[in-house]
Amino acid sequence: MPTPLRRAASTAGAALLAVALAATTGCSADSGSGTAAPGGKPVNGGSLTFAVSSEPSCLDPHVSPTDASAVIQRGVFDSLVSEDTTGTVHPWLAKSWKISPDGLTYDFTLRDDVLFHDGTRLDAAAVKANFDQITAPETKSAYAASLFGPSYKGTAVTGKDTVRVSFSRPFSPFLQAVSTTYLGIESPKALKAGSSALCAGGAHSVGSGPFVEASRTVGRQIVFHRNPAYRWGPQDGGYNGPAHLDTFTIRFLTDDTTRLGTLTSGQIDAAVVPVIAATQVRTDPRLRLLSHQSPGAVYSLQLNTTRAPLSDERVRTALLHALDVDSLVTAIYIGVYQRAWSPLSPSTPNAYDASLKDTWAYDPKQAAALLDQAGWTGRDKQGYRTKDGRRLTLSWPVLAANVTRDQRGALADGMKSQAKAVGIELKQVTVDSGGYFKAAYSAGYDVLDLSWSRGDGDILRGLYFGGANLEKGGQNASRVDDPQLDSWLLAASATTDPAQRRAAYAKVQHWVLDHAVTIPLYVGTYLLGTSKSVQGVTFDVSGWPLFARAWTTGR
């Protein structure tokens, strides 16, 4: 099979759209006080309705790279293992696993008591069918296939309940990858229905999880019922039996005002909260605000290093110094979102380098000096710098949905004003998806913005590995291609030693900032508002809410 990060352009479309729309999300409880809503003894029965801000076009996480699909389907599709927010891995569908001394094989021993919702028994053949389906070129997996890394060889059945995953070179991020919804295990019988049915969801989404996907009404909601037979949840020390709720409903309310209104009026039990409403929800005596920084790639500007004028490192560095990120993030996000210093979030296990804090500063004088050195010494009537009669303009294509989410439009306006003060025209252009793909695939842009939630530093491989460009299914919007970077990224993926991985990822983080290929802006936070009757909400390593252990005491 082709290397996932170098897949054909036809595979990359959905992944690119997810880059453009990717939510910077993550969760912990009560503004960081824990990982679950407080509560007493769980109550069985009842229903809970949760409103989200977007409806994915495809509900199959093997195909869809969106966080929306992963959140929706987490209660339906179990994974081989689970990983907590500290990076500790726990048994789930696999009761044990062994990594070979050379790091080339992963042997999983499965539980023998797991049944899919259609009555099919989980076995090694089912796991192989899932992994074969994800990595098959015809599946056109937009993100899940990349989680197998650049050296995946295949999956083999070694016994009724034992399966081996093999690589041509060590790939340590794989254990975290199989904890995600994207590599969740679907019924092999359901897989035969084909991609269209799997994307449609509803009765076609058949897993082994605590919730059975009963029905989907496009544009409105998905209804889930409790799986009474469930006894094989993550062995992480928490409750792993059937869900407490009889019915769990996810509603699609894309308008922030409408979604907030249904929460505050008591029509629903939980909702994704827009950042501008965080204080309102936090101070409402009937509600609770749960929040947590998202792991993975922070919201940032990625600068195209292959096209003038940003092919000149001095111009990239000038833009870095021209932006007063501290002031903008403080003013716009009022303490809810933290200013970012690294392309990685601080909550990314065994990867974030805290020493990057304060390593660059807002310095318009330094920016001006760098632009002078780069030959951008002229000025036009609007005050923008020129060189050989050409204005210093940086093209930044965006989708309309990305302008309106998380106050990003206001953030962009502030950055455009600050860039203009040193003579740079930061030109944000709203385009449709076709125009966005055309610009991104042809490197016809100077700046792209992105974020990507993942609880592993391996997200840096997608962002900066040479050739992992957008048109090839990666997230390398800066289009950097450096052998030294590649060597560090491969070294990190070749070791299971957390200290060695941290050291390699630290070098990557420093390099991309030293060479100004990325400008980190803010660390996204998933904001979940709930009625105080909602208890037991937990969160996964990607920072997304889990309702498998939730209950309600009634509105």
Side-chain angles (χ1 to χ4, degrees):
M1 61 170 286
T3 299
L5 285 176
R6 303 177 186 272
R7 301 173 77 84
S10 61
T11 306
L16 176 56
L17 186 60
V19 167
L21 295 175
T24 48
T25 56
C27 289
S28 74
D30 289 331
S31 300
S33 64
T35 57
K41 184 177 179 180
V43 176
N44 290 325
S47 63
L48 189 152
T49 299
F50 167 45
V52 295
S53 58
S54 62
E55 179 180 14
S57 59
C58 176
L59 287 176
D60 184 4
H62 291 176
V63 175
S64 172
T66 64
D67 60 348
S69 296
V71 170
I72 290 168
Q73 298 290 41
R74 179 71 288 181
V76 176
F77 301 127
D78 292 333
S79 295
L80 293 184
V81 301
S82 69
E83 183 179 17
D84 63 30
T85 54
T86 69
T88 303
V89 180
H90 304 275
W92 196 347
L93 294 182
K95 62 183 182 181
S96 64
W97 58 89
K98 180 180 180 181
I99 306 173
S100 63
D102 60 9
L104 298 181
T105 60
Y106 288 71
D107 287 290
F108 295 95
T109 299
L110 308 176
R111 295 180 61 125
D112 61 5
D113 59 347
V114 177
L115 294 177
F116 292 102
H117 300 152
D118 59 8
T120 304
R121 181 183 177 280
L122 170 75
D123 58 14
V127 174
K128 175 177 169 56
N130 275 261
F131 289 177
D132 287 352
Q133 186 260 356
I134 293 169
T135 56
E138 57 269 24
T139 300
K140 299 180 180 179
S141 174
Y143 176 60
S146 74
L147 296 178
F148 286 84
S151 58
Y152 175 67
K153 289 178 63 178
T155 299
V157 172
T158 56
K160 186 176 182 181
D161 295 314
T162 56
V163 62
R164 170 171 291 178
V165 182
S166 300
F167 300 87
S168 60
R169 60 177 298 153
F171 186 61
S172 60
F174 182 66
L175 199 58
Q176 188 277 331
V178 294
S179 74
T180 67
T181 317
Y182 301 107
L183 301 190
I185 306 302
E186 305 182 22
S187 165
K189 182 178 179 181
L191 290 178
K192 296 177 182 179
S195 59
S196 295
L198 296 173
C199 277
H204 298 291
S205 293
V206 183
S208 60
F211 291 115
V212 178
E213 194 162 320
S215 64
R216 177 191 184 186
T217 304
V218 176
R220 178 172 172 77
Q221 65 184 25
I222 300 178
V223 177
F224 305 84
H225 293 161
R226 175 177 179 266
N227 176 8
Y230 196 71
R231 296 289 189 280
W232 43 81
Q235 304 297 300
D236 55 8
Y239 175 75
N240 58 17
H244 299 298
L245 299 167
D246 285 335
T247 304
F248 175 51
T249 301
I250 294 180
R251 289 189 60 189
F252 306 117
L253 297 175
T254 58
D255 180 75
D256 287 345
T257 302
T258 301
R259 192 172 62 258
L260 182 65
T262 58
L263 176 66
T264 58
S265 64
Q267 298 176 60
I268 58 175
D269 306 285
V272 176
V273 174
V275 63
I276 58 174
T279 299
Q280 177 186 347
V281 172
R282 184 185 291 117
T283 56
D284 190 320
R286 301 164 300 172
L287 302 176
R288 180 182 294 114
L289 182 69
L290 312 183
S291 64
H292 189 275
Q293 289 181 346
S294 168
V298 302
Y299 182 65
S300 60
L301 300 184
Q302 303 293 321
L303 310 184
N304 186 352
T305 61
T306 65
R307 184 171 102 153
L310 293 180
S311 54
D312 188 331
E313 186 174 319
R314 294 170 296 186
V315 179
R316 300 198 303 269
T317 306
L319 181 61
L320 182 77
H321 288 302
L323 303 181
D324 187 356
V325 178
D326 258 339
S327 294
L328 290 173
V329 172
T330 299
I332 295 170
Y333 299 112
I334 53 176
V336 178
Y337 290 176
Q338 175 185 322
R339 180 254 170 91
W341 289 99
S342 163
L344 282 184
S345 164
S347 60
T348 310
N350 299 316
Y352 177 70
D353 184 5
S355 72
L356 285 166
K357 185 178 180 180
D358 298 324
T359 52
W360 83 90
Y362 169 56
D363 190 344
K365 290 184 178 179
Q366 175 69 2
L370 287 167
L371 293 175
D372 286 342
Q373 294 172 23
W376 293 92
T377 55
R379 294 275 185 168
D380 62 17
K381 293 181 180 180
Q382 286 73 41
Y384 293 110
R385 288 178 178 261
T386 61
K387 179 180 181 181
D388 300 327
R390 176 190 172 197
R391 176 184 286 186
L392 179 50
T393 299
L394 303 180
S395 173
W396 177 5
V398 293
L399 294 167
N402 221 24
V403 175
T404 57
R405 73 172 303 131
D406 280 355
Q407 297 290 94
R408 290 178 181 178
L411 181 60
D413 288 343
M415 290 190 290
K416 286 185 282 187
S417 177
Q418 292 173 352
K420 184 176 181 179
V422 300
I424 300 173
E425 183 183 29
L426 186 56
K427 189 175 182 179
Q428 192 178 57
V429 181
T430 303
V431 295
D432 60 18
S433 59
Y436 190 90
F437 293 153
K438 181 179 179 180
Y441 289 168
S442 64
Y445 61 89
D446 298 303
V447 177
L448 287 182
D449 59 320
L450 62 78
S451 60
W452 200 286
S453 292
R454 186 179 177 190
D456 195 280
D458 188 54
I459 188 62
L460 292 173
R461 182 175 55 87
L463 289 171
Y464 303 116
F465 196 80
N469 300 337
L470 299 167
E471 67 273 18
K472 295 180 180 178
Q475 299 95 40
N476 189 349
S478 67
R479 310 186 84 84
V480 66
D481 192 348
D482 184 87
Q484 180 64 80
L485 267 183
D486 288 354
S487 69
W488 291 328
L489 290 166
L490 291 175
S493 67
T495 179
T496 58
D497 186 320
Q500 292 182 22
R501 296 191 78 201
R502 280 196 300 269
Y505 288 139
K507 292 176 182 178
V508 173
Q509 292 166 74
H510 280 272
W511 192 98
V512 299
L513 291 169
D514 288 344
H515 295 275
V517 302
T518 292
I519 302 179
L521 298 174
Y522 67 77
V523 184
T525 296
Y526 196 109
L527 301 174
L528 179 69
T530 76
S531 163
K532 286 194 173 177
S533 65
V534 174
Q535 312 290 338
V537 177
T538 57
F539 306 93
D540 68 11
V541 69
S542 294
W544 298 329
L546 302 172
F547 292 87
R549 298 170 178 173
W551 72 92
T552 179
T553 57
R555 295 176 191 165

